Amino acid sequence: MSILVTGGAGYIGSHTVLSLLEQGYEVVVLDNHSNSSFESLRRVKILTGCDITYYEGDVSNRLLLQNIFSENDIKQVIHFAGLKSVSESVQSPLKYYDNNVMASIVLIQEMIAHNVCELIFSSSATVYGIPESVPLNEDSKIGGTTNPYGTSKLMVEQILRDTAKAYPQLDITILRYFNPAGAHPSGLIGEDPSGVPCNLVPYISQVAVGKLPKLLVYGNDYPTHDGTGVRDYIHVMDLAEGHIAALKHKMAESNCRTYNLGTGKGYSVLDLISAFERQSGKIIPYQFVERRIGDVAECWANPSLSQQALNWTASRSLDDMMRDSWNWQQKNPTGYE
Ligand code: WQD
């Protein structure tokens, strides 16, 4: 029996594929390389000594999905594939609703048609919109999303909840990631955003390696301990292990369950700069500028439900994340190119 991982060549996908292979799972990857490189999977094979069945294409390609389900004994699906740039989603909302929502509908339809019942969906803390209070629990208010990317995740979550009610044979787990960061300690795989990074940690990494001149800190007048934005950064290896824990968690309370994957700790932009400088020995030049539209002051998880239900806890520290981010970046100054 195999696990189909859509978007398995991407940042979180490739780290999760590595963990799956290390746990002895058979893995089938579907990826269209819109924001990933096949090189990541070549390196995962080197790291694990395991082979990967691989299909290149879109999740929305119904015929391709039918071939995958016919040619492989797929028991579970982890659905990472999707576009994830907040700023790009504002410019191209239809591209995001097509890639993130329509494709997910096709996937669920083909899973049902082929009696593949177990799905783990890659969601995001963005579905909480502007938090009324922190830490965020799974039953905190969702909605009020500030961009089409977040709204697309919210839409797929609702589609999954409704579909689970209509198809009791389905076993669906929704995982809401907070802020993924870091890389596999080997430095062979890591985060390789196309173009200038939107996210903080890859941006800092590229400043440290000399690809970018300085970091622009979006606002230092937030009501936080040092005025800069606070987020719940979680090591990508902890995130990968959270998916393994979710796979092993058998249907108990309901056939559609939602869990926050975060550490429960909030760190500011200045905290990250200090940690990265400590771990890399590099100085990160930065300049305070205006707040970024759509940003919230602070956002971090209450991870107790995932700890209790999945028997999973994020164990890696902020220093681990910064050390591993720097190790990846300095070994791969131009990413997977
Ligand atoms: C973190 C903090 C910025 C860049 C987004 C998505 C979320 C998930 C993670 C996909 C904020 C500040 C950032 C920079 C800065 N993506 N910052 N200068 O916005 O919390 O979350 O990415 O799943 O869904 O919403 O992450 O890394 O962009 O920002 O000052 O150049 O760093 O203001 O306080 P964010 P981020």
Side-chain angles (χ1 to χ4, degrees):
M1 281 180 290
S2 301
I3 294 187
L4 172 61
V5 181
T6 74
Y11 173 41
I12 303 171
S14 56
H15 287 80
T16 303
V17 167
L18 182 145
S19 296
L20 288 166
L21 294 170
E22 287 180 338
Q23 292 282 317
Y25 289 96
E26 295 281 324
V27 176
V28 175
V29 168
L30 169 59
D31 202 304
N32 69 359
H33 290 309
S34 64
N35 189 23
S36 63
S37 160
F38 179 74
E39 176 63 13
S40 65
L41 295 179
R42 195 186 68 81
R43 297 186 187 188
V44 167
K45 289 182 190 177
I46 293 169
L47 284 165
T48 59
C50 301
D51 207 356
I52 300 167
T53 303
Y54 175 71
Y55 294 82
E56 182 167 354
D58 295 319
V59 173
S60 57
N61 182 335
R62 203 180 284 275
L63 189 61
L64 177 56
L65 282 179
Q66 289 164 358
N67 289 343
I68 292 172
F69 286 127
S70 309
E71 293 167 5
N72 302 274
D73 179 17
I74 306 288
K75 182 173 185 304
Q76 295 154 311
V77 177
I78 303 179
H79 181 32
F80 289 111
L83 299 174
K84 60 162 226 172
S85 165
V86 169
S87 51
E88 185 192 39
S89 76
V90 176
Q91 309 302 325
S92 314
L94 292 177
K95 182 177 171 186
Y96 273 68
Y97 292 127
D98 188 35
N99 270 277
N100 293 3
V101 182
M102 291 301 291
S104 298
I105 291 171
V106 172
L107 175 64
I108 301 159
Q109 287 174 324
E110 290 309 319
M111 285 181 65
I112 291 169
H114 292 83
N115 197 30
V116 178
C117 300
E118 296 184 44
L119 170 67
I120 293 178
F121 173 62
S122 163
S123 190
S124 165
T126 322
V127 303
Y128 292 112
I130 299 175
E132 286 176 341
S133 64
V134 282
L136 287 159
N137 305 306
E138 285 78 359
D139 56 7
S140 293
K141 179 183 74 66
I142 57 174
T145 42
T146 58
N147 54 77
Y149 160 75
T151 305
S152 73
K153 291 295 185 182
L154 193 63
M155 286 175 165
V156 177
E157 284 200 9
Q158 190 56 52
I159 290 164
L160 291 175
R161 283 189 282 272
D162 293 342
T163 307
K165 286 191 184 115
Y167 295 87
Q169 75 272 24
L170 291 177
D171 177 3
I172 295 174
T173 304
I174 295 169
L175 299 179
R176 290 176 181 160
Y177 311 153
F178 280 69
N179 286 58
H184 186 265
S186 66
L188 275 179
I189 59 175
E191 188 169 13
D192 183 19
S194 47
V196 175
C198 299
N199 293 140
L200 179 64
V201 176
Y203 200 105
I204 290 177
S205 301
Q206 291 193 16
V207 169
V209 81
K211 261 186 94 173
L212 295 168
K214 66 179 172 184
L215 172 71
L216 300 181
V217 178
Y218 298 140
N220 67 330
D221 58 350
Y222 283 107
T224 61
H225 65 272
D226 62 17
T228 63
V230 171
R231 296 291 185 277
D232 185 332
Y233 297 92
I234 176 169
H235 198 293
V236 66
M237 290 310 298
D238 279 326
L239 212 48
E241 289 159 12
H243 288 74
I244 308 290
L247 279 175
K248 293 177 177 173
H249 174 67
K250 286 305 140 210
M251 190 169 6
E253 55 283 11
S254 91
N255 73 327
C256 187
R257 305 170 298 281
T258 301
Y259 301 106
N260 287 337
L261 292 193
T263 66
K265 300 186 191 84
Y267 289 105
S268 73
V269 177
L270 295 182
D271 293 334
L272 262 75
I273 292 171
S274 306
F276 196 97
E277 290 182 338
R278 253 193 326 272
Q279 293 303 317
S280 65
K282 298 283 185 181
I283 297 297
I284 304 296
Y286 65 88
Q287 176 190 347
F288 292 125
V289 295
E290 286 306 300
R291 295 180 177 188
R292 181 171 63 177
I293 294 170
D295 273 358
V296 298
E298 45 189 8
C299 175
W300 69 86
N302 172 355
S304 54
L305 182 60
S306 50
Q307 289 169 352
Q308 168 258 324
L310 302 182
N311 190 28
W312 165 89
T313 301
S315 61
R316 294 164 179 89
S317 68
L318 183 67
D319 279 356
D320 294 332
M321 289 179 233
M322 297 302 102
R323 180 198 64 231
D324 293 340
S325 291
W326 173 237
N327 184 39
W328 150 256
Q329 190 70 73
Q330 65 168 5
K331 287 180 177 173
N332 304 272
T334 56
Y336 287 118
E337 272 176 18

